[in-house]
Amino acid sequence: MMPALEKLLVLQDRDTRIARLKAEVARLPGERAAIEARVQAESAKLESARVRLQHLEAERKKLELDAEAKRNQVAKYRTQLFQIKSNTEYQALLKEIEQLECLIQDVEDQELEFMEQVEQLQPQLRVEQQQLAELTARANNEKNELQKRDELIRQELAQLQAERTVLAQQVDPDVLARYERLLRSKGNAVVVPVQHGNCGGCHLHLAPQLVYNARHNNELTSCDYCGRILYWQPE
Ligand SMILES: [Zn+2]
């Protein structure tokens, strides 16, 4: 293989690796955001359970105060009973007390229901707190790993880029310009093998003369269709 082609292939190998690493580094912020979104979602779930618990406790407290006020009222009526002289008034007040006691029973029943709901929710909340703590720890580890990967990739990239600069200086400027023009328009594979008489880039069938040139010539051969630089690879 002619030296110019060999150099181009090495250069292309570095460029391919550089492109791959750049793509990998570009994916890292997305991975990081996904980890953070998972923690965020779990934390929102916990928060909504906590708000629900607070609400239940506030409702229960309201009922407790209501029952207490009613019980005080009953106590007041009971002392009034002793001061009443008329039987009709006495009976009326007794009826009032009975009604209030019924209401107190209702309020206490409701209070019990709220207490049961609170009791059910509390262990669930503890489980969710535990889950969030575990998830957060895991997420922090994952983010540290990402950070390490990011640093490693950047180091490798810097090394490859330095290598690439040296390699590019060893390529004939015209050839380098042609290669880089192709790279910009086609992407990564611009120096391609002849495969069963076809271009390894666009896969179209090459004229026999081109195949012959790629195999024997001392000049760089390009595909007629896509312009990629061809090299011969024993099949
Ligand atoms: Zn082609």
Side-chain angles (χ1 to χ4, degrees):
M1 189 184 283
M2 56 188 289
L5 253 178
E6 275 174 10
K7 283 179 188 156
L8 270 188
L9 278 172
V10 177
L11 191 64
Q12 172 164 274
D13 169 72
R14 298 304 182 275
D15 280 339
T16 307
R17 280 155 66 184
I18 287 170
R20 203 177 295 144
L21 289 179
K22 278 184 176 169
E24 203 180 330
V25 112
R27 276 196 301 273
L28 297 183
E31 286 182 32
R32 194 186 169 86
I35 294 169
E36 280 166 356
R38 279 207 302 276
V39 175
Q40 195 61 44
E42 189 61 37
S43 156
K45 223 169 90 185
L46 177 64
E47 189 51 33
S48 100
R50 199 177 277 150
V51 167
R52 169 130 181 81
L53 188 65
Q54 273 171 2
H55 168 76
L56 289 174
E57 275 173 345
E59 288 301 306
R60 190 201 56 76
K61 185 76 192 164
K62 250 192 257 171
L63 292 168
E64 186 189 290
L65 292 176
D66 188 19
E68 201 182 305
K70 286 186 167 65
R71 275 195 299 269
N72 287 341
Q73 188 63 42
V74 168
K76 221 167 95 191
Y77 284 165
R78 283 198 188 283
T79 48
Q80 281 175 18
L81 276 181
F82 295 111
Q83 295 146 9
I84 289 174
K85 305 278 179 299
S86 126
N87 190 40
T88 328
E89 275 178 44
Y90 187 89
Q91 290 304 329
L93 197 54
L94 257 189
K95 191 145 183 70
E96 194 104 6
I97 289 172
E98 256 171 49
Q99 279 170 347
L100 263 177
E101 279 173 340
C102 268
L103 285 175
I104 290 170
Q105 190 57 51
D106 284 349
V107 171
E108 282 175 347
D109 286 347
Q110 283 179 52
E111 206 186 323
L112 259 178
E113 274 172 36
F114 276 104
M115 279 163 83
E116 275 166 18
Q117 286 186 49
V118 166
E119 270 169 30
Q120 278 170 7
L121 198 57
Q122 270 166 343
Q124 196 184 324
L125 199 71
R126 277 195 293 276
V127 168
E128 271 168 23
Q129 269 166 340
Q130 181 66 21
Q131 278 172 347
L132 179 64
E134 283 166 14
L135 184 68
T136 306
R138 230 175 16 247
N140 285 340
N141 279 342
E142 283 172 14
K143 283 198 284 186
N144 283 342
E145 286 304 313
L146 279 187
Q147 185 60 33
K148 274 187 223 154
R149 233 167 86 202
D150 186 88
E151 281 160 19
L152 277 178
I153 294 172
R154 283 178 199 281
Q155 277 172 20
E156 207 180 330
L157 258 177
Q159 201 179 327
L160 278 172
Q161 267 155 343
E163 239 178 279
R164 199 254 180 221
T165 307
V166 175
L167 287 167
Q169 281 161 359
Q170 293 164 6
V171 178
D172 174 80
D174 288 342
V175 174
L176 184 65
R178 185 163 147 196
Y179 166 81
E180 286 181 337
R181 226 177 11 255
L182 276 167
L183 199 59
R184 276 194 296 278
S185 67
K186 308 282 180 211
N188 265 323
V190 296
V191 187
V192 296
V194 176
Q195 289 170 331
H196 310 293
N198 293 342
C199 165
C202 68
H203 305 293
L204 291 175
H205 194 64
L206 298 163
Q209 185 62 48
L210 273 186
V211 177
Y212 182 88
N213 286 352
R215 189 168 186 175
H216 300 288
N217 255 16
N218 292 321
E219 274 179 31
L220 290 181
T221 310
S222 288
C223 167
D224 275 344
Y225 306 105
C226 68
R228 287 184 179 87
I229 299 163
L230 298 164
Y231 66 91
W232 179 261
Q233 182 176 253
E235 283 166 6

